[in-house]
Amino acid sequence: MPRRLTLLASLILTQGAAMAQTCNGNWPAIDYPVTRTVEQQDNYHGATVADPYRWLEDANSADTAAWVQEQNKLTQGYLAQIPGRDAIKARLTKLWNYERFSVPFKEGGRYFYSRNDGLQNQAVLYTMKSLADMPRLLLDPNTLAADGTVALAGLAVSPNGKYLAYSTAASGSDWNEIRVRDIESGKDVADHIKWVKFSNTAWLHDGSGFFYSRYDEPTEAGKLAAVNYFQKLYFHKIGTPQSADTLVYDRPDNKDWGFSAQVTEDGRFLVITASQGTENKNRVFYKDLKQKDGKVVGLLEDFDAAYNFVGNDGQVFYFHTERNAPRGRIVAIDVKKPAVLSWKQIVPESGSTLVSASLVNNQLLVDYLSDAHSLVKVFDLRGKPLHDVKLPGLGTASGFSGKRTDTETFYSYTSFTTPSTIYRHDLKTNKSSVYRQPKVDFDPAGYETRQEFFTSRDGTRVPMFIVSKKGIKYDGSNPTYLYGYGGFNVSLTPTFSVANLAWLEMGGVYVMANLRGGGEYGESWHEAGTKLKKQNVFDDFIGAAEWLVSHKVTSPSKLAIGGGSNGGLLVGAAMTQRPDLFAAAIPQVGVLDMLRFHKFTIGWAWTSDYGSSDNADEFKALVKYSPLHNLKRGACYPATMITTADHDDRVVPAHSFKFAAAAQAAQAGQPGAAPILIRIDSKAGHGAGKPTTKQIEEVADRWGFLTRALHMDGK
């Protein structure tokens, strides 16, 4: 074994060795539940790595269930003693009780939108024939489960307006079931599709059936943890059982390909997008639906960039792509002459990042990000700029869907202090008017948002948004919550949140950093935070924290960090690399075991961003920052509340279980050490579709925990 790997293995195996240190705090000692260890060791390219909490990966075992019960008992007992928690929950409940709308869309001569009257667990779907009509309730997910844990996960209306195909998810799981509702009668027909995951629904124009993607049926024991491979694209004909569905496309030679389908607006083509994990690249195939027994034809098969179908003029397809344009452009491709030299550039790459495009009123509506906030431009089909859509301010706009012949579109606009407002935009006059505007129990005039730029460790300029009450003094005393994500080409943009509003009302400062690994500045920005360069993301986050401290926005004793999923990894890495910089950490549903994440459900797909421990070079990078493998006994970690859920089949809860057990073992017995807790929700998953009641409970616990951790309660 090479000497360097021998030393690495020694470090990992002896991380439990005590360090002579007393934590600089006055926290009372916590009697943590005893978590047994096992003699589990794995060999990674010559390095031996211990995994003493491997048994916690078995979510179905009685031992794991008992451990969960004991940990929740400890956490809930701790949170119950925080005097301000009930007041926080009451204020959250009042703030949350406001009317919320989705962006309307039109299909089959009808408008559709969802509405939550305030405290409903799930939003309700409505339809109407004109904007002047009284809306009619079409689907109320709150009737599907008494506790609100069955959520509407997706919907598609047939072009003839006869049917609604809707998918539901139970208890936060990624598994969906598709049912079909007759829109006129408001009643479901017999069709029922199961074992659907990561799928959209695409109707034939005559409403006779739809395309969808599914996996083979898993075992009962493995449905929440077993690896998901070999997705297949099917066609379902209305009025037939799922067993009669037709296989349209699969790739048994490529187990990691996933498929989504679109039917072009003219009804002629089926467009199949083939993804490979979460890589920001895809392949495109098509099928001529006018040809009987038409074959699936490869169009873009090099897997060299992202290609997002925008629309078509017959056999000319429009795509938003990052090929030779890291910040995005729009091209036209004739499917009969698909060679790259025959492509026609419609909208060239610009200094802003192209997020999405739609084809409405025979115009291209293009949504950009400029320094992480929205900018919307309109072009004709030759690429000539026509005008901008005037937005209210520094925020996020989304929507802009419609048909080629529509002269109207709808969009939402939101910012950190502006609740999501729905606008109707007249494409003939380029005028926007408010269609639905919610009213929340707060005065936005009392708050301010500013954007700052800081320099990361390697000299990269990185932006962040800082939101606070107006007139706040920067003297280092402000309790501050720093949030980030930094991965998978996901862009963080200004968004209204009553959860964050409650934090601001409590005197807190909210900061959102736009780290590398995200998509704010295009594919180059994303790639700069992946695989062997993932440490850049953590350096950016730490750089943001250091800027906040040096500019006296806050101080280490008042600074908390939070993030979910890949953001949970971010928090875990930051708190293990710089425990001195933070007073509190909340890793939510985090990817925390970077050596085994790819062995569960869809985790293998994340190797495009993370790399894999199966690769020797990537293992060396992963083990250096993997939160689970960098906890050291005797180190003084911030007050930490890890959150997860029993039905999270995206990032399985074993990540959080093992990290909590290891962190408690590292922190236990240290005089003055801060608490390490884990909050494990029941009948909940990764976050999508979580009922309002559960959201309020979770946020109340988060802010309650931070009032104690940041000494906002005087203790």
Side-chain angles (χ1 to χ4, degrees):
M1 182 186 294
R3 183 172 183 272
R4 191 169 68 84
L5 287 182
T6 303
L7 292 173
L8 175 62
S10 175
L11 171 65
I12 296 168
L13 286 170
T14 60
Q15 64 181 358
M19 299 168 61
Q21 184 175 351
T22 299
C23 294
N24 185 25
N26 59 356
W27 295 94
I30 292 182
D31 187 16
Y32 294 110
V34 175
T35 305
R36 67 179 174 88
T37 59
V38 296
E39 293 296 324
Q40 175 67 44
Q41 297 182 4
D42 300 298
N43 186 292
Y44 293 92
H45 313 287
T48 302
V49 180
D51 193 1
Y53 303 109
R54 177 72 60 83
W55 63 274
L56 283 169
E57 291 181 357
D58 185 358
N60 298 310
S61 77
D63 285 352
T64 301
W67 184 88
V68 167
Q69 185 176 15
E70 286 298 308
Q71 292 288 344
N72 268 340
K73 181 179 178 182
L74 171 67
T75 299
Q76 292 306 319
Y78 180 93
L79 295 170
Q81 66 171 328
I82 296 174
R85 185 198 174 280
D86 289 344
I88 294 170
K89 182 181 176 182
R91 180 56 179 154
L92 281 167
T93 302
K94 187 173 183 181
L95 285 171
W96 228 291
N97 192 14
Y98 75 98
E99 199 174 27
R100 302 182 291 283
F101 300 89
S102 71
V103 176
F105 68 93
K106 192 175 183 181
E107 191 68 76
R110 293 176 178 269
Y111 291 91
F112 299 84
Y113 72 95
S114 62
R115 170 184 173 271
N116 190 309
D117 66 11
L119 295 177
Q120 288 175 293
N121 277 319
Q122 304 292 341
V124 178
L125 181 66
Y126 293 87
T127 185
M128 53 192 178
K129 289 189 175 181
S130 77
L131 296 181
D133 284 352
M134 181 70 68
R136 174 168 67 88
L137 189 154
L138 181 58
L139 177 63
D140 184 357
N142 297 289
T143 64
L144 304 178
D147 58 1
T149 55
V150 173
L152 187 62
L155 57 90
V157 176
S158 62
N160 61 8
K162 181 174 176 57
Y163 293 117
L164 166 72
Y166 67 96
S167 56
T168 58
S171 300
S173 171
D174 279 334
W175 287 114
N176 289 180
E177 297 183 27
I178 301 175
R179 292 176 173 82
V180 178
R181 178 156 295 192
D182 181 285
I183 292 175
E184 192 61 40
S185 69
K187 296 181 179 179
D188 285 353
V189 296
D191 303 67
H192 184 195
I193 310 296
K194 300 181 68 176
W195 307 119
V196 176
K197 186 184 280 196
F198 313 127
S199 174
N200 66 327
T201 306
W203 284 93
L204 285 180
H205 264 221
D206 62 4
S208 62
F210 54 81
F211 301 91
Y212 70 97
S213 303
R214 61 161 292 185
Y215 291 94
D216 292 336
E217 181 176 351
T219 64
E220 181 62 28
K223 67 180 182 180
L224 292 179
V227 176
N228 302 136
Y229 282 130
F230 298 109
Q231 194 181 48
K232 301 176 178 68
L233 180 67
Y234 281 90
F235 175 74
H236 174 75
K237 185 177 180 180
I238 294 298
T240 64
Q242 184 175 9
S243 59
D245 289 355
T246 303
L247 177 64
V248 176
Y249 196 67
D250 72 340
R251 289 299 292 263
D253 57 327
N254 290 286
K255 65 180 181 180
D256 54 354
W257 285 23
F259 305 103
S260 63
Q262 291 173 269
V263 175
T264 57
E265 188 178 329
D266 59 11
R268 179 178 171 184
F269 295 102
L270 171 68
V271 181
I272 302 171
T273 299
S275 59
Q276 196 164 352
T278 52
E279 193 142 10
N280 193 35
K281 300 175 183 177
N282 59 274
R283 297 173 174 87
V284 177
F285 304 83
Y286 71 93
K287 179 179 179 179
D288 192 335
L289 296 172
K290 300 302 182 185
Q291 293 182 4
K292 187 177 182 181
D293 300 322
K295 303 297 183 183
V296 173
V297 179
L299 178 62
L300 300 164
E301 298 187 80
D302 291 338
F303 199 62
D304 56 357
Y307 298 93
N308 300 300
F309 180 75
V310 177
N312 71 303
D313 277 321
Q315 66 187 35
V316 176
F317 287 11
Y318 298 99
F319 287 97
H320 156 211
T321 182
E322 293 166 351
R323 179 186 167 94
N324 298 327
R327 297 203 182 190
R329 61 180 178 141
I330 297 175
V331 299
I333 302 174
D334 187 326
V335 299
K336 300 303 182 183
K337 295 182 290 184
V340 175
L341 292 177
S342 298
W343 295 7
K344 183 178 180 181
Q345 179 166 273
I346 305 299
V347 178
E349 183 182 27
S350 73
S352 299
T353 302
L354 203 162
V355 176
S356 64
S358 54
L359 214 173
V360 189
N361 191 39
N362 287 309
Q363 298 172 335
L364 289 166
L365 279 63
V366 185
D367 187 2
Y368 290 96
L369 281 183
S370 176
D371 286 333
H373 56 85
S374 289
L375 175 68
V376 181
K377 293 181 174 291
V378 181
F379 300 84
D380 68 18
L381 292 181
R382 295 169 297 176
K384 177 184 176 181
L386 299 178
H387 47 256
D388 293 357
V389 175
K390 187 177 180 180
L391 300 176
L394 194 79
T396 303
S398 60
F400 303 101
S401 66
K403 298 284 194 288
R404 291 287 294 267
T405 57
D406 288 347
T407 58
E408 67 175 358
T409 188
F410 295 86
Y411 66 93
S412 68
Y413 173 82
T414 182
S415 72
F416 291 113
T417 56
T418 305
S420 188
T421 302
I422 309 301
Y423 289 85
R424 178 185 177 274
H425 186 73
D426 188 323
L427 290 161
K428 293 181 294 185
T429 63
N430 191 34
K431 301 287 187 182
S432 293
S433 56
V434 173
Y435 177 64
R436 293 282 189 267
Q437 186 167 30
K439 296 179 180 179
V440 184
D441 183 32
F442 89 113
D443 181 8
Y447 300 87
E448 62 183 3
T449 299
R450 62 192 182 106
Q451 188 176 39
E452 297 285 353
F453 292 82
F454 63 91
T455 302
S456 191
R457 183 177 182 177
D458 65 355
T460 300
R461 186 171 182 259
V462 182
M464 63 180 169
F465 293 96
I466 303 175
V467 192
S468 67
K469 287 182 177 178
K470 283 185 177 177
I472 198 168
K473 292 183 179 180
Y474 290 141
D475 57 5
S477 66
N478 301 304
T480 299
Y481 184 70
L482 171 61
Y483 176 83
Y485 187 79
F488 299 100
N489 202 43
V490 172
S491 301
L492 296 186
T493 60
T495 305
F496 182 78
S497 161
V498 290
N500 294 337
L501 177 59
W503 174 251
L504 297 173
E505 287 188 340
M506 292 162 59
V509 176
Y510 177 78
V511 182
M512 186 176 78
N514 299 107
L515 316 172
R516 279 175 286 182
E520 290 88 346
Y521 294 103
E523 183 56 20
S524 298
W525 189 257
H526 167 226
E527 289 182 350
T530 62
K531 293 189 175 180
L532 302 184
K533 294 176 281 189
K534 187 67 177 177
Q535 182 60 39
N536 285 337
V537 183
F538 313 136
D539 289 344
D540 290 355
F541 198 55
I542 290 168
E546 290 175 334
W547 189 97
L548 293 168
V549 171
S550 67
H551 286 74
K552 295 188 176 182
V553 175
T554 190
S555 59
S557 65
K558 292 290 186 178
L559 179 56
I561 52 176
S565 195
N566 175 74
L569 160 63
L570 171 70
V571 172
M575 66 176 276
T576 52
Q577 292 183 17
R578 288 294 307 276
D580 60 302
L581 190 54
F582 314 109
I586 303 183
Q588 304 167 62
V589 294
V591 187
L592 300 164
D593 181 349
M594 299 309 297
L595 303 187
R596 288 178 58 79
F597 70 86
H598 58 302
K599 297 183 180 293
F600 304 97
T601 62
I602 201 63
W604 59 265
W606 313 331
T607 58
S608 60
D609 249 51
Y610 298 148
S612 168
S613 60
D614 295 339
N615 175 288
D617 289 336
E618 291 170 352
F619 161 73
K620 294 172 191 175
L622 288 164
V623 78
K624 284 181 181 178
Y625 71 75
S626 175
L628 176 65
H629 299 93
N630 283 278
L631 290 163
K632 297 176 177 63
R633 183 168 294 177
C636 294
Y637 294 110
T640 301
M641 185 169 72
I642 303 149
T643 68
T644 187
D646 61 358
H647 278 67
D648 190 345
D649 51 0
R650 183 84 57 85
V651 179
V652 294
H655 284 273
S656 295
F657 293 176
K658 292 164 68 175
F659 185 73
Q664 288 177 352
Q667 198 93 315
Q670 287 289 99
I676 305 288
L677 305 174
I678 181 169
R679 183 188 188 279
I680 306 159
D681 210 345
S682 61
K683 295 188 72 176
H686 199 58
K690 182 173 287 190
T692 298
T693 51
K694 283 185 174 291
Q695 292 184 61
I696 292 173
E697 288 283 348
E698 182 177 353
V699 176
D701 287 348
R702 183 194 312 156
W703 297 152
F705 180 80
L706 291 187
T707 62
R708 177 62 52 88
L710 304 185
H711 308 293
M712 297 167 71
D713 59 357
K715 296 185 179 181

